[in-house]
Structures are given as structure tokens and as C-alpha cells.
Amino acid sequence: MTRRDAARNWQNIVDTGRAFLDEDRPLRLNEVAREASIGVATVYRHFPTAEALLETLARPSLEKLVADAEASLRGDDDEWAAFAGFLTAGINAQLADPAVQPVVAAATHELPETAELVARLNALTGELLAWVHAAGRIRPEVQRADVIRLMCGVVFAATVHAAPSERPALTRRYLDVVLEGLLRRDASDQGRGGGEPGR
């Protein structure tokens, strides 16, 4: 098999895996191989586990989220707007790409690059949280793990028993509720971000 054939097979597997996720089908490598008309052994050579394929599918979205977080920390927005903007980007990524949430939530990862991306994303989330903490804009007891779990919870709440067309609006509404709850009350009373916490 030539390098070009291998690259074509890899792309075919990835495209087929993406179609499985978009259709809300379980990502099983044998079924991906059958649908892609590629030998099972070839699929396993490229992706030894379904988790490895899932992480490959999630990688572009994770890279964009890291870039969004870095841009938020460098941007001209104030602390709360930067923090809320990044959380919004995270919610949008989970809605647009069903590979993101399970990969971010996984305790371990198959691919070293995935582990690095998730670790970087968690670190950047912590930096943004520290920024709003230092500014006194967020409830002092809120920790990084709380933020990550709440974002997963928002997406779950907006997707369970809801039609796909309803999910973006529901997610935005639930995110605004969460942001309002995270905002420190005395900061809101002073008019710093309290009017439009989700911005």
C-alpha cells in the first residue's frame, strides 16, 4: 500500500466516523470499516480503539477551543466578558461537535496529543477563572472543576428531550442562568457585568 493509499484510507475512516457521530450512532470500528468499505485490519492499524478515532475527530474542535481561550486571555475584553465568552465558545463547540464532550470528560486518553490538548484547555480555563477571581467578579468558592462540570451539565440539560432545532436557544438560556449564578453578588450590585452576564 502506498502512502497515498494510506492517507486516503485514513481520511475515509475519519469521514465515516464523523458521519456516525452526526447521525448519533455508536462509534464501533467494525461497523465503521464496513460502512467505509475498508478492511477491519486496516481500520485497526490506523485507529487501534474507538476512543482513538473519537479523539481524532475531536481534535480540531479542541485546538480551536485552546485558541479561543488564549485569545480571551490576550483580548481587550474585561475579565467577566472574556470568561463568559470562552464558556460560550465551549458550549458552542459541544453542540457543534458531539466528540468534544466525551473526550474532555474522559479520565484518560488514547493519544498523547489529546492528553496535551485537554491539559492545556484545563490550564487555560484555570487561568481565566483566576483572572475573574482576582477581579472579584465571581463567587469565591467556585473552582475550575465546578466550571467544567457546569458546562457539561448545560449541554446535557439543553439536549435531553429537546429537538435539535431547540438546543441552541435552550443552551444559551441555561448558560445565562449559570453565569448569573456564578457572578459575585456585590459585583453585580455595582453594575459590573450584572446586566448582561453572558454577553
Side-chain angles (χ1 to χ4, degrees):
M1 179 181 294
T2 67
R3 186 174 297 178
R4 181 175 297 178
D5 289 335
R8 184 164 52 244
N9 283 339
W10 184 92
Q11 190 61 56
N12 192 3
I13 296 164
V14 168
D15 290 344
T16 303
R18 172 58 60 192
F20 270 57
L21 288 188
D22 290 344
E23 295 164 9
D24 200 23
R25 297 165 64 187
L27 200 62
R28 299 191 177 101
L29 293 184
N30 286 8
E31 294 178 15
V32 169
R34 183 167 55 251
E35 189 125 337
S37 300
I38 294 175
V40 173
T42 300
V43 172
Y44 278 88
R45 235 184 347 261
H46 285 286
F47 302 100
T49 65
E51 289 76 19
L53 176 54
L54 183 69
E55 290 174 21
T56 299
L57 293 169
R59 183 172 180 173
S61 296
L62 293 177
E63 289 174 336
K64 185 177 184 307
L65 273 178
V66 166
D68 287 340
E70 291 171 340
S72 294
L73 285 165
R74 293 194 308 264
D76 295 329
D77 286 341
D78 69 18
E79 317 84 15
W80 184 258
F83 179 72
F86 172 63
L87 295 190
T88 300
I91 290 294
N92 290 340
Q94 291 184 66
L95 281 177
D97 186 351
V100 170
Q101 195 276 334
V103 169
V104 171
T108 60
H109 298 97
E110 292 285 309
L111 306 177
E113 55 267 33
T114 307
E116 291 171 9
L117 277 170
V118 173
R120 178 64 178 150
L121 187 59
N122 287 338
L124 289 165
T125 303
E127 289 181 41
L128 283 162
L129 182 59
W131 190 19
V132 288
H133 268 309
R137 305 292 296 278
I138 194 167
R139 294 168 61 135
E141 70 273 20
V142 176
Q143 302 176 16
R144 184 185 67 184
D146 300 325
V147 174
I148 294 170
R149 290 168 182 153
L150 284 169
M151 292 307 96
C152 292
V154 164
V155 173
F156 177 78
T159 53
V160 67
H161 303 311
S165 60
E166 299 175 300
R167 292 171 187 173
L170 284 174
T171 303
R172 185 67 221 182
R173 188 193 316 163
Y174 298 157
L175 178 59
D176 283 343
V177 171
V178 168
L179 287 169
E180 180 65 25
L182 291 173
L183 189 65
R184 187 168 173 170
R185 289 301 88 203
D186 53 355
S188 178
D189 293 342
Q190 293 166 13
R192 297 186 62 197
E196 293 181 302
R199 190 166 161 176

